[in-house]
Each structure stands twice: as C-alpha cells, then as structure tokens.
C-alpha cells in the first residue's frame, strides 16, 4: 500500500490496514458544519459523496473511532497531526478537545493555526481567524514522552501563522484544501531528514499530504470516499506545480537555527 489512495469509508478502510505499519500522519476531517448559517462570507463548503452534517454526538463518536484506528495503525513512537476548529451550535461552543481527549492518543500539544482571515464576520463574537492542530503521540511504553524536537523545528512555536489555500491559487477542486506548509511543517519537524517513511492521510481530499510526502522523499497512503477527488489528487501528486515547490521550499527554509541551546549555555559559561 505505498503511494496509494484507497477509496471508501474512512473507518472501514482503516480497519483493513495492518497494526503498527505507518510512521506518522496528518489530516483535516470535514468539520460537521451545519447549513444555513447567516453572515457567512465563504461559499458553502460542499464535499462530494459525504454528508458534512451529522448529529454532533454521532460525528464526535465517529471521529474518536477513526482516531483510535489510526492509533492502532501508526507505529509506537509515531505522531499524528489532526487539524480541526472550534465551532458553535445554537450558541454553544463545541471544542475539538471534547473528543480528541477521549481517543487513545496522548495529546502532546494543541497548536493554534492563525489563518489571519475570518470565515464568518457577523458580530456575535470576535472574528474567528484560528483553527487548531492537535499533535497526537503514540508512546512506546508507559514512561515514553517521545523524542525531543530539534531546535530548528521547535522554534516555529505553537502559533502557526499561515494563510489558508485560496480556491484560485490551488490546482485542486476540493472545497477546503489546507496549505502545503501545514503537512510540510508537521512531517518535516517529526521526521527531519529521514527518508522513505510511510505517511497516512485518512481524508486525502485534494492530495496536499501526498504532494508533501513526495517532496520530502516519503511514501504516502491516503483514503477518500470520493473517486473524483482521488483522481484529481493523484493527478496533482504526479504534476507538482512550481508554486507548490516554492511554498514547500519557503517552509523548509524556516526550519533553521542560528544558535542551539548548548551554544547559548556555552556563551553564558554554563556547561
């Protein structure tokens, strides 16, 4: 299952994958947005072949089951990055923590993705410009907190200021592609200069994770319910654009450290 996008229901397809067979993953699931929200600037996001408006409880249960299957499939010591956002339903705030913490994963960090633009600009609240990226970890044993991030990755902080993909900029017809920088930052920070690892994206969508895996020298496995998106994603991964390569290179260039922690200690005369 290398460099493949499998068609079908996420949970059912995940169940066919072997235990501890994948190095890491990154995804952004459909957000279970209800229709008829007033004051929305973005056009309604419509996913083909998927109902993005389940009863919330059912949606959350499904997400926990999917996260737990990913936990089984990813190797001990592996990470998974899960992009989601805070939503409001009839005035009540729904936070992704409500279900992320119910999964088997150790929640290593909640990263704030500052998109710098608001989707909804009605005045009930301060304009929401951020989403969340959950760094989830599968420990090797009870005492394992994971390996230390290299300084050149850790210095990018827990607030990621990255503009979202704009429809017109992307070769994809998918309604909600995340920018190349997100999976690049996730995968490169964890695997650094390793090559030939296997990366999973259970909601492959427009194929961004596949594009990045290829550019970083890894293999990928994706899942999507839509044959249409799979065809488009495969085509996109085969024909990576100059813009995608530029965005990718610009992100990688940020992962650089001028002085390490050890250098700083030396300067201060602390050994």
């Amino acid at each position: 299952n290398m460099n493949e996008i499998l068609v079908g229901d996420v949970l059912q397809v995940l169940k066919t994958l072997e235990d501890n067979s994948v190095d890491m993953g990154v995804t952004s699931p459909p957000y279970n947005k209800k229709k008829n929200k007033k004051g929305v600037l973005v056009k309604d996001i419509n996913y083909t072949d998927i109902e993005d408006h389940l009863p919330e409880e059912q949606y959350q249960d499904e997400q926990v089951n999917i996260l737990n299957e990913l936990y089984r499939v990813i190797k001990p010591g592996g990470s998974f990055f899960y992009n989601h956002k805070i939503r409001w339903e009839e005035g009540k705030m729904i936070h992704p923590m409500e279900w992320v913490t119910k999964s088997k994963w150790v929640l290593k960090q909640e990263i704030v993705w500052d998109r710098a633009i608001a989707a909804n600009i009605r005045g009930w609240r301060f304009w929401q410009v951020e989403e969340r990226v959950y760094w989830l970890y599968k420990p090797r044993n009870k005492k394992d907190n994971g390996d230390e991030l290299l300084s050149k990755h850790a210095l990018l902080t827990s607030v990621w200021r990255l503009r979202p993909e704009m429809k017109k900029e992307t070769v994809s017809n998918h309604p909600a592609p995340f920018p190349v920088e997100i999976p690049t930052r996730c995968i490169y920070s964890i695997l650094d200069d390793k090559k030939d690892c296997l990366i999973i994206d259970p909601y492959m969508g427009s194929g961004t994770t596949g594009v990045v895996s290829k550019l970083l020298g890894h293999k990928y496995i994706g899942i999507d319910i839509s044959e249409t998106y799979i065809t488009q994603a495969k085509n996109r991964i085969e024909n990576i654009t100059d813009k995608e390569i530029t965005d990718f290179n610009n992100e990688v260039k940020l992962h650089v450290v001028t002085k390490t922690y050890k250098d700083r200690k030396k300067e201060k005369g602390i050994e």
Side-chain angles (χ1 to χ4, degrees):
N1 290 340
M2 306 308 161
N3 297 335
E4 272 190 52
I5 308 175
L6 308 170
V7 67
D9 171 73
V10 182
L11 201 52
Q12 300 318 310
V13 176
L14 280 172
K15 283 177 178 170
T16 67
L17 304 182
E18 284 175 35
D19 293 7
N20 307 324
S21 59
V22 175
D23 292 284
M24 70 169 290
V26 54
T27 204
S28 182
Y31 290 166
N32 203 35
K33 296 196 189 78
K34 304 293 186 283
K35 294 282 175 226
N36 308 324
K37 285 276 173 20
K38 294 194 180 81
V40 176
L41 266 191
V42 274
K43 290 196 186 75
D44 261 340
I45 289 181
N46 291 310
Y47 292 87
T48 60
D49 301 328
I50 186 163
E51 286 296 315
D52 194 20
H53 39 85
L54 295 169
E56 183 60 28
E57 197 179 335
Q58 188 190 333
Y59 173 77
Q60 292 191 17
D61 287 346
E62 207 170 86
Q63 288 299 305
V64 173
N65 290 335
I66 288 164
L67 286 170
N68 286 344
E69 276 303 306
L70 287 159
Y71 185 87
R72 178 187 65 76
V73 165
I74 287 174
K75 295 172 185 174
S79 290
F80 189 76
F81 288 82
Y82 180 77
N83 165 224
H84 215 292
K85 71 183 233 182
I86 292 167
R87 294 164 294 140
W88 284 266
E89 194 53 54
E90 292 166 359
K92 179 183 172 285
M93 186 169 120
I94 305 167
H95 200 294
M97 282 286 197
E98 292 173 38
W99 68 90
V100 171
T101 51
K102 286 180 188 160
S103 77
K104 292 176 181 174
W105 290 94
V106 170
L107 177 52
K108 192 143 175 169
Q109 193 162 27
E110 181 182 39
I111 294 152
V112 173
W113 172 20
D114 175 5
R115 296 157 51 99
I117 52 173
N120 187 331
I121 60 162
R122 282 296 287 279
W124 310 120
R125 305 178 180 84
F126 294 102
W127 295 353
Q128 185 186 17
V129 295
E130 103 296 340
E131 293 192 7
R132 305 299 158 108
V133 178
Y134 295 94
W135 176 7
L136 306 174
Y137 182 67
K138 179 174 177 174
R140 300 176 185 97
N141 55 55
K142 289 218 163 52
K143 292 200 172 90
D144 177 34
N145 295 319
D147 304 325
E148 198 174 342
L149 272 186
L150 293 177
S151 301
K152 68 174 183 179
H153 304 308
L155 56 73
L156 290 162
T157 82
S158 58
V159 179
W160 295 358
R161 293 191 173 84
L162 300 165
R163 300 281 293 198
E165 269 302 335
M166 293 299 159
K167 274 298 260 295
K168 63 183 184 305
E169 291 175 3
T170 170
V171 289
S172 145
N173 292 315
H174 189 270
F178 54 15
V180 161
E181 291 89 340
I182 293 253
T184 305
R185 190 169 295 190
C186 297
I187 299 165
Y188 184 44
S189 293
I190 299 300
L191 299 176
D192 195 50
D193 292 328
K194 282 186 194 155
K195 296 288 173 234
D196 247 11
C197 296
L198 183 57
I199 316 292
I200 191 166
D201 187 340
Y203 293 95
M204 195 55 142
S206 68
T208 311
T209 303
V211 167
V212 169
S213 300
K214 190 174 165 183
L215 290 171
L216 283 168
H218 299 302
K219 299 179 289 270
Y220 63 84
I221 181 162
I223 304 170
D224 209 280
I225 196 130
S226 160
E227 293 270 13
T228 314
Y229 289 156
I230 291 178
T231 307
Q232 287 170 0
K234 282 179 176 167
N235 187 40
R236 181 180 170 200
I237 295 162
E238 284 308 303
N239 303 287
I240 298 176
T241 64
D242 289 345
K243 183 191 182 295
E244 286 166 335
I245 294 169
T246 304
D247 290 348
F248 167 81
N249 286 332
N250 287 340
E251 169 59 35
V252 169
K253 276 181 206 150
L254 298 175
H255 298 241
V256 65
V257 77
T258 44
K259 283 179 188 161
T260 65
Y261 177 62
K262 279 183 185 154
D263 293 338
R264 288 205 185 96
K265 271 169 74 169
K266 260 196 188 135
E267 274 178 14
K268 289 180 180 159
I270 318 163
E271 276 309 319

